[in-house]
Each structure stands twice: as C-alpha cells, then as structure tokens.
C-alpha cells in the first residue's frame, strides 16, 4: 500500500508545474525572465506599515492573521493591499499569508533603522516552507542566542518568572575564581528599563555549598548562574554562547538544548551546537549536573539526560584531529561523572536497579507563578483557620510543618525534572512521580551506557583514563547497558498490551492505564527488540497518531477534565516537538521510514499551516487534534505573543522543522509547500 502511495505522489508531483492553483488561494503563473530580474521596490517604510495595519489589522493586535475579518462598509480586512513605492507606483498584495509577509519585511526594515527600504518581491511571495525554514536559519537562531558575559548581563538577568526587586542577581560558582574575578566589577552596574521590565542594578555573588537549605534561603534573591567563558586574543573574555527556548524561558535548558542542537546541526551551525555542549560540561564541573536551566532556583534538579547523544551528534560534524579527540575525551569524562553522581546516586537509583527522576529541595519551587499552589494549600489553611496567603508564607518559612505537603513537593520536583511538567501520567492514588521508574528516563540511560561503551571501544581502544586515575572499560559499560535492557524488559515491558509502561516500584505495578508518547523511547534508544518495536507500532501508534502529529497521551489516559481537575499541558490533545523528533528517529531505527515520513508531514503541515494563517507564529506546542497553536492549558503557549513579527519562534519547534525537512522525501516536501492536508496523501 505504501509503495502505491509513493507511485501516486510521484505521478502528481510530475504534474505540479502544470497546476496553477495552490491551497494558499493564489494563482501561481510561470515566472517570466522579466520577473526573475525585477529589482526590489523602494518604499517609505512607516507610511506603508501604518496604512497596512490600519486597513488590514482589524483586531488591532499588530499582526495580520486569519482572525482579521472583513469589516463591511469600512473597507477594512478585505485581504487586499496596495503597496505604494516612493515613485508613486502601486503594487497589489493579496491574501493573509502574503500580507503578513509584507508586514514582517516592513518591520524588519524599520527595526534596522530604515525610513526608506527595498521590498523584495521574492520574499513577499516566498513559498511557506522556504520562508519558515529560512527565517529559522537566518533570524530565529540569532534571536535565541545568548551568552553570560559583561556585554549581555542586563538582558540575561531579566527573568519574568521571579521578582527580586531593584536588584538582579548573578551567581558564580566558588570553584571558578577566574570567572568571579571577571564578573565582580559588574556588581552594582545599572541596567536600564526596557519594555515590560523595570530598571535594576546587578548584584554579583559567589555560590555557597549547594544544598536544599541554602537554595531555600535564596528566596527573594534568586538569579542567573554563570556559564563558560572563553578568553579572546585581546586578553579579555566572552561568554560561550547557547540557545534559549524563547519567550519567558531566557536561560539555557537541559533537554531543550539537545533538540535545539539537532536543529542547529541541520542548519550547519556546528560551532553553536558545540558551544552548548561546552556549557554543559561547565555545568557538570561547577554545579554537579546538567541543570534544569542556569538559574539558582533550578540548582536542585536536572532534566532528561541527552548529553552523550548531543556530544556524538556534534563530534560527527567536527574535523577529526587531535584537538577534536581531546574534546571528545573531556566531554565524555563529564558525561561519565554525571552518570555516576546524578542518575545512579542514592536518590535516583531504586531497588529495581532502574532509575527515577528526583529533584531535591525544600518546599515549593520558587519559579512558579503566584497562586500556582493555592488549591494544594487551601485544605491545610482551612484546617488551621487562616488564609491561603498566610499559610503559604508560614509554610515557606518553616513555621508550619506538614509531612503530606513535603511529600507533595518531592513528587512535584520529580515531575519538573522529567521535563513533562505537568501531566496526569503519574496520577495514581495521588500525583506520585517519584514512586515510578519511567520508560523515558531508563531508555535515555541505556542510550548513554551504549554511547559510552561504543565510544570507549571505538575511539579509545577499549579503555578511557579518567582524571583521578581510574579507567573506564568499554566491556563494563556494555554489561551495564545489557543489564538495564533486561531490567526494562522485566519491569517496563507488558507482553499482554504489547507496550512499555512506567513501573510503580512502591506498589509493584505497571501503570498500564496511561498510554504516552514516551512508550516509543525504547525505539529511539535502540533497546527494543524487533518484535517489541513491531508491537509498539501496531498497538500504540493508532492510539497516538492524530491529524497534526503524535499526541502526548490518549484522551482516555488523561481522563476527564473539569473545574477541579484542569487540563495539563503534557497530555491530550497537545503535541510536543521532542516527542515527534524522538519517535521519527525511533521508527527510522527499525525500518519504518514510510510511517516516520507520514508523521513528519503531519507535524510540519501543522506548523506550516499555522504560520501561514497566523503571521509566522512558531509556538512552543500544538493541539495536534485540531492542528492548532491555540493551546490554553496551564501556562498558555509561549511563542504566540508578539507584535508585527516573531524573531525567535520557539527553540525545539524550530529544530523539529529543520530536522523534519531533512528527513522528508522531495515529493512530500513539494506537497507541504503547497499545503496539501495530510489526509489527502495518506491512508492513515
């Protein structure tokens, strides 16, 4: 059947040059030799920009989208605009997509300080796929790149998630005196107010010993954590760069960075992907782990571990020379150190021999928005006859001690370390994340064990000398991986359902009622047998494949939603870029390329369709059931709030677009550019 589909698609693609009408609603004529050499149009930027918004932005959100409806009798919102050149000549622009492209190009020119600018018709009428991909490559990665150094402190210290009053804090580890010497002169430096953020002064401090007690004492003084510095030839320093997710996430995140690195590598930004690995090595060296992100309130926890996969993806693209080999050795030494000290420590290694997520800490996580835990506090506050706000203050201060709440926040930190914050995945007699060994984490650790084993064997002759003098043997790591694979089969594989499930090691039961996208992680890690992979594809894919891609969970697994049981963002109906990318690769690993291509097309179509209809929007997540960016669960949808033009998109969604395009066969890319809905192309 798949072969027949390919033959059909190839036949249609051969006729594409003859087709004049696209799903964008525009007539595409053959480009003449005159059009190919047409010069850009010289226009007054502000005059055309103001007139375009006045005529077409009918909902006054400073964007041109499908929501801008026609206003009868006022000549507004008819999706037709006449661009006027400085010589008076008029040029018609039709349709939401092309009008939003024009708005973006005019805004870019204005931001560049141009009163008069050239408008390139090739960009106004650029194909959707090419425009999105080019924007990611040329604009969004630049917009998301940060560094922690003197040139960027004022921007990196801004943080929407906390309020520290007139000061913003930078913390430098005690183990890096050179960095402290560099940053100390910036103590007291004034940073000007920006739109939506008040002025403040920089406060530079050294971290003390990282303990839950110390981190709790930082409440009201939380701030950014320094990352790696690089000496430049003038004798000064610059921060080693990294990519942030975007929006309110203005710091370097753990698992986001792996997927962002894949996107950077797809766009040949090997230098930036390598720099992100270097920052992770710095974090392990000075903070003891890859952090949830480089803010002091994240010092208690990590995120899903992808370091060895990230290292090897970068190493594959580097020139093979002694310097690169040294880099590989140093990075793998850090990965081995983190494996032992974090993922195999007494908090995370369980009696099953498998590991769990577990974030250390005292009380509620500081970075949550005001009122986030009011529903949790209220019954306890009512029992004591005090208000919720008073209860929260007293509980945080340690004046009220309630073991049930302490346990709740252990599980809450576990959810946050998992990256899946939040979900009903571990709601089994209460939200009990820390009581589960999970499919995703143990698949990731198996992949790390195999990466280390294969790298030591293939690159270091079977043995790797560690800095303290010990030696890591490839045979030992192969044995570890084999043991974990057996334990995953024992505890997490359910033969009856033909799926992998998280295991509750407190109740000695599998969580077989919750079907999640994480069931595919063993395919990505390569630990599933061919029979297990076939079973997962047969049993799980039909439950999770939606119109717009893979959904985070089934609706049945999530359960009913109500006022007292609100929707959570890592559940049905939402789809997330990391799940899509891991599942694509997992399917390809086991020879299911056609299915992977179908899923890639669904996801890229969803992104492209929304960008075309909503002024280039590239958001954090998607409702893959409705193929919509309008997601309102919990924290909303980062990347949807901007004026005129997005200059960032969202990190791992940008990456999924670039990686997906690399995998997509030419015929499907042609259909995507013409916005053919997936149901017209695929049986499923």
């Amino acid at each position: 059947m798949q072969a027949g589909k390919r033959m059909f698609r190839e036949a249609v693609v051969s006729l594409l040059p003859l087709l004049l009408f696209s799903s964008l609603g525009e007539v595409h004529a053959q480009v003449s030799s005159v059009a190919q050499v047409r010069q850009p149009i010289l226009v007054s930027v502000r005059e055309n920009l103001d007139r375009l918004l006045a005529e077409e932005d009918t909902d006054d959100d400073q964007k041109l989208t499908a929501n801008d409806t026609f206003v009868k009798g006022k000549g507004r919102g008819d999706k037709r605009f006449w661009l006027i050149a400085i010589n008076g000549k008029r040029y018609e622009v039709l349709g939401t997509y092309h009008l939003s492209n024009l708005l973006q190009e005019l805004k870019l020119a204005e931001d560049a300080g141009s009163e008069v600018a050239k408008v390139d018709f090739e960009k106004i009428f650029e194909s959707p796929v090419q425009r999105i991909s080019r924007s990611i490559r040329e604009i969004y990665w630049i917009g998301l790149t940060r560094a922690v150094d003197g040139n960027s402190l004022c921007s990196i210290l801004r943080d929407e998630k906390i309020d520290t009053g007139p000061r913003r804090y930078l913390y430098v580890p005690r183990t890096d005196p050179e960095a402290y010497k560099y940053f100390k002169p910036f103590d007291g430096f004034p940073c000007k107010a920006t739109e939506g953020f008040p002025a403040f002064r920089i406060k530079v401090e050294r971290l003390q010993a990282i303990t839950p007690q110390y981190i709790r004492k930082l409440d009201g003084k939380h701030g950014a954590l320094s990352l790696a510095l690089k000496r430049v030839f003038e004798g000064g320093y610059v921060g080693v760069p990294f990519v942030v997710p975007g929006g309110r996430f203005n710091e370097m995140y753990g698992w986001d960075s792996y997927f962002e690195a894949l996107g950077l590598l797809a766009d040949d930004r090997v230098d930036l992907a390598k720099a992100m690995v270097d920052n992770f090595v710095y974090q392990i060296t000075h903070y003891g782990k890859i952090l949830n992100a480089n803010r002091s309130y994240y010092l208690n926890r990590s995120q899903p571990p992808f370091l060895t996969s990230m290292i090897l993806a970068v190493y594959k693209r580097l020139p093979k020379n002694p310097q690169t080999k040294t880099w590989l050795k140093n990075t793998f030494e850090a990965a081995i150190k983190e494996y032992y000290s974090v993922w195999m420590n007494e908090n995370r290694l369980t009696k099953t021999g498998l590991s769990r997520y577990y974030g250390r800490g005292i009380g509620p996580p500081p970075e949550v928005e005001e009122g986030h835990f009011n529903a949790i506090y209220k019954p306890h506050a009512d029992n004591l006859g005090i208000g919720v706000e008073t209860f929260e203050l007293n509980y945080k201060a340690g004046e009220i001690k309630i073991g049930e709440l302490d346990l709740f926040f252990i599980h809450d930190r576990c959810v946050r370390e998992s990256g899946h914050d939040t979900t009903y995945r571990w709601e089994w007699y209460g939200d009990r994340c820390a009581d589960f060994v999970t499919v995703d984490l143990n698949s990731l650790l198996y992949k790390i064990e195999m990466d280390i084993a294969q790298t030591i064997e293939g690159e270091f002759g079977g043995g790797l000398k560690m800095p303290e003098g010990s030696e890591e043997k490839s045979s030992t790591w192969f044995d570890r991986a084999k043991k974990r694979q057996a334990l995953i089969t024992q505890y997490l594989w359910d033969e009856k359902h033909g799926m992998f499930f998280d295991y509750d090691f407190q109740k000695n039961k599998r969580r077989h009622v919750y079907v999640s996208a994480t069931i595919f992680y063993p395919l990505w890690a390569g630990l599933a047998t061919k029979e297990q992979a076939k079973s997962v594809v047969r049993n799980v894919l039909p439950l999770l494949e939606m119109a717009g891609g893979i959904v985070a969970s089934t609706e049945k697994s999530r359960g009913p939603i109500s006022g007292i049981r609100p929707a959570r963002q890592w559940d049905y109906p939402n789809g997330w870029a990391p799940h899509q990318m891991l599942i694509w690769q997992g399917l390809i690993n086991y020879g299911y390329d056609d299915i992977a291509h179908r899923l890639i097309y669904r996801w890229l179509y969803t992104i492209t369709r929304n960008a075309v209809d909503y002024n280039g929007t590239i958001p954090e997540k998607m409702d893959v059931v409705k193929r919509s960016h309008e997601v309102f669960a919990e924290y909303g949808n980062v990347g949807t709030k901007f004026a005129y033009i997005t200059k960032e998109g969202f990190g791992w969604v940008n990456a999924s677009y670039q990686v997906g395009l690399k995998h997509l066969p030419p015929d499907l890319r042609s259909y995507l550019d013409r916005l053919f809905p997936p149901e017209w192309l695929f049986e499923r």
Side-chain angles (χ1 to χ4, degrees):
M1 183 62 73
Q2 288 296 333
K5 280 288 181 182
R6 285 198 300 274
M7 292 176 63
F8 167 75
R9 294 201 301 262
E10 290 167 2
V12 174
V13 168
S14 68
L15 298 174
L16 286 179
L18 303 178
L19 299 176
L20 298 181
F21 190 78
S22 80
S23 59
L24 291 174
E26 310 292 346
V27 176
H28 293 274
Q30 297 293 321
V31 179
S32 70
S33 59
V34 175
Q36 289 174 353
V37 297
R38 180 179 294 280
Q39 296 299 310
I41 302 162
L42 203 60
V43 303
S44 169
V45 173
R46 193 69 241 180
E47 184 274 327
N48 280 283
L49 190 57
D50 288 344
R51 194 163 48 82
L52 176 59
L53 289 171
E55 293 182 16
E56 298 299 329
D57 181 21
T58 60
D59 59 4
D60 298 319
D61 65 352
Q62 296 179 307
K63 289 181 283 189
L64 299 181
T65 73
N67 293 339
D68 290 306
T69 56
F70 179 65
V71 181
K72 188 175 181 180
K74 295 187 178 181
R76 298 187 67 201
D78 63 355
K79 312 297 184 187
R80 173 178 294 187
F81 178 76
W82 290 91
L83 180 68
I84 302 176
I86 59 172
N87 63 7
K89 189 170 182 180
R90 290 155 51 91
Y91 298 84
E92 186 181 47
V93 182
L94 286 172
T96 297
Y97 171 64
H98 295 143
L99 289 171
S100 69
N101 289 352
L102 175 60
L103 174 66
Q104 293 165 40
E105 294 302 317
L106 289 172
K107 185 58 181 174
L108 285 172
E110 183 181 62
D111 289 348
S114 302
E115 295 183 7
V116 175
K118 295 177 180 178
V119 173
D120 186 347
F121 78 96
E122 292 282 6
K123 290 184 177 178
I124 305 304
F125 300 101
E126 191 171 17
S127 70
V129 174
Q130 180 175 313
R131 183 172 182 85
I132 294 168
S133 182
R134 181 183 61 79
S135 296
I136 292 169
R137 185 173 59 253
E138 297 179 0
I139 300 173
Y140 300 169
W141 291 136
I142 295 171
L144 292 172
T145 300
R146 307 282 190 275
V148 183
D149 59 24
N151 293 321
S152 58
L153 280 181
C154 287
S155 60
I156 203 69
L157 293 182
R158 295 187 177 96
D159 184 4
E160 295 181 22
K161 297 181 289 303
I162 59 168
D163 181 10
T164 58
R167 290 183 175 181
R168 290 281 153 169
Y169 291 80
L170 174 71
Y171 290 96
V172 184
R174 285 190 170 273
T175 49
D176 192 356
E178 195 172 4
Y180 184 72
K181 182 179 178 181
Y182 167 76
F183 284 114
K184 186 58 179 175
F186 294 98
D187 189 62
F189 184 85
C191 294
K192 297 179 181 178
T194 59
E195 185 177 352
F197 211 91
F200 61 89
R201 287 187 178 273
I202 295 173
K203 180 64 177 174
V204 178
E205 292 195 0
R206 273 180 165 168
L207 280 177
Q208 297 177 21
I210 300 171
T211 65
Q213 293 77 14
Y214 168 65
I215 296 169
R216 173 52 62 193
K217 289 179 180 178
L218 292 180
D219 279 3
K221 299 197 304 179
H222 281 291
L225 302 172
S226 67
L227 293 177
L229 293 168
K230 179 174 66 175
R231 185 182 288 275
V232 293
F233 66 89
E234 298 91 347
Y237 292 88
V238 295
V240 174
F242 55 91
V243 169
V244 303
R248 66 192 183 99
F249 303 116
N250 188 39
E251 49 274 321
M252 183 182 184
Y253 279 79
W255 72 322
D256 293 69
S257 293
Y258 168 65
F259 298 100
E260 290 159 356
L262 294 182
L264 291 168
L265 292 171
D267 283 333
D268 297 321
R269 291 300 311 276
V270 181
D271 57 329
L272 188 49
K274 177 180 178 294
M276 294 173 76
V277 172
D278 293 338
N279 273 313
F280 277 157
V281 171
Y282 183 92
Q283 289 186 23
I284 293 169
T285 302
H286 296 287
Y287 302 117
K289 64 178 76 69
I290 290 176
L291 301 169
N292 188 149
N294 65 309
R295 301 281 185 192
S296 58
Y297 45 76
Y298 290 139
L299 281 165
N300 281 317
R301 62 182 187 261
S302 185
Q303 273 200 321
F306 285 91
L307 181 56
T308 57
S309 296
M310 190 172 173
I311 293 168
L312 292 173
V314 172
Y315 181 67
K316 185 178 179 181
R317 301 287 298 276
L318 293 175
K320 300 305 177 280
N321 55 42
Q323 291 78 18
T324 301
K325 193 68 168 285
T326 299
W327 179 83
L328 181 67
K329 181 178 185 295
N330 293 339
T331 55
F332 263 76
E333 287 171 356
I336 290 169
K337 176 183 177 181
E338 187 192 41
Y339 172 88
Y340 286 134
S341 63
V342 177
W343 300 108
M344 299 297 286
N345 71 20
E346 61 183 6
N347 289 319
R348 293 178 177 81
L349 183 63
T350 72
K351 62 185 179 182
T352 65
L354 297 174
S355 298
R356 63 172 175 173
Y357 292 113
Y358 188 93
R360 296 176 67 215
I362 298 173
E367 77 277 8
V368 299
E369 68 279 7
E370 185 178 349
H372 182 83
F373 293 115
N374 280 359
I376 303 298
Y377 293 140
K378 190 175 188 308
H380 302 288
D382 290 346
N383 286 341
L384 295 173
I386 59 177
V388 170
E389 291 183 5
T390 301
F391 176 88
E392 180 178 14
L393 288 173
N394 292 339
Y395 175 69
K396 286 181 176 180
E399 296 171 7
I400 295 175
K401 297 186 183 299
I402 298 178
E404 181 184 343
L405 265 185
D406 296 342
L407 183 59
F408 168 84
F409 285 117
I410 288 175
H411 291 303
D412 180 78
R413 280 187 171 81
C414 171
V415 173
R416 295 176 191 280
E417 183 169 88
S418 79
H420 295 75
D421 47 331
T422 64
T423 170
Y424 286 111
R425 181 170 152 202
W426 299 293
E427 186 201 35
W428 205 9
Y429 308 103
D431 284 318
R432 298 172 41 249
C433 174
D435 292 341
F436 288 86
V437 290
T438 67
V439 175
D440 47 335
L441 176 57
N442 287 282
S443 297
L444 296 175
L445 293 176
Y446 169 86
K447 176 68 161 52
I448 287 172
E449 290 161 349
M450 285 298 294
D451 286 345
I452 293 172
Q454 292 169 346
T455 301
I456 292 176
E457 182 175 70
E459 299 288 344
F460 301 105
L464 179 64
K465 289 284 188 181
M466 297 295 284
E468 73 280 3
S470 64
E471 185 177 26
E472 296 292 336
K473 296 284 191 180
S474 59
S475 57
T476 303
W477 286 93
F478 278 122
D479 288 344
R480 285 194 178 113
K482 185 177 180 180
K483 179 181 178 182
R484 189 178 298 272
Q485 183 180 32
L487 290 172
I488 288 172
T489 298
Q490 177 183 345
Y491 287 104
L492 309 183
W493 175 250
D494 191 300
E495 188 68 39
K496 177 182 177 182
H497 292 87
M499 304 181 193
F500 294 94
F501 293 110
D502 297 340
Y503 183 81
D504 184 340
F505 63 87
Q506 297 291 2
K507 296 183 180 297
N508 299 318
K509 293 180 181 179
R510 294 190 193 99
R511 181 84 161 104
H512 58 75
V513 298
Y514 193 95
V515 178
S516 163
T518 57
I519 292 172
F520 280 90
Y521 275 54
L523 279 67
W524 174 83
L527 71 87
T529 65
K530 289 183 179 180
E531 292 74 20
Q532 287 172 334
K534 183 178 180 180
S535 182
V536 167
V537 171
R538 180 178 63 248
N539 296 319
V540 183
L541 191 65
L543 301 177
L544 296 180
E545 182 177 356
M546 300 293 153
I550 292 291
V551 71
S553 76
T554 64
E555 185 175 18
K556 181 179 179 181
S557 297
R558 180 203 66 186
I561 297 303
S562 66
I564 59 173
R565 193 177 184 272
R568 292 179 175 177
Q569 62 177 356
W570 282 89
D571 291 328
Y572 180 95
N574 301 324
W576 291 81
H579 287 166
Q580 316 301 317
M581 297 169 75
L582 291 171
I583 291 172
W584 302 340
Q585 189 58 57
L587 291 167
I588 292 169
N589 288 347
Y590 287 83
Y592 296 101
D593 296 56
D594 284 349
I595 297 176
H597 295 159
R598 183 177 78 217
L599 297 179
I600 291 169
Y601 190 93
R602 289 190 185 283
W603 179 252
L604 297 192
Y605 175 83
T606 303
I607 295 172
T608 307
R609 180 79 263 176
N610 279 265
V612 164
D613 289 343
Y614 293 93
N615 210 115
T617 295
I618 305 290
E620 175 190 26
K621 52 188 174 283
M622 291 287 188
D623 178 334
V624 292
V625 177
K626 296 180 179 179
R627 290 199 296 232
S628 171
H629 70 280
E630 295 182 336
V631 176
F632 305 107
E634 295 188 296
Y635 307 102
N637 206 353
V638 179
T640 60
K641 295 180 180 179
F642 59 89
Y644 302 106
I645 177 175
T646 174
K647 294 182 182 178
E648 296 183 346
F650 193 85
W652 59 23
V653 180
N654 298 343
S656 71
Y657 203 83
Q658 304 300 72
V659 170
L661 286 180
K662 292 288 185 181
H663 283 300
L664 208 61
D667 62 329
L668 289 180
R669 174 157 178 162
S670 297
Y671 284 122
L672 181 64
D673 227 352
R674 295 169 57 76
L675 284 179
F676 277 39
E679 50 271 18
W680 289 82
L681 303 175
F682 306 105
E683 290 288 342
R684 165 69 182 147

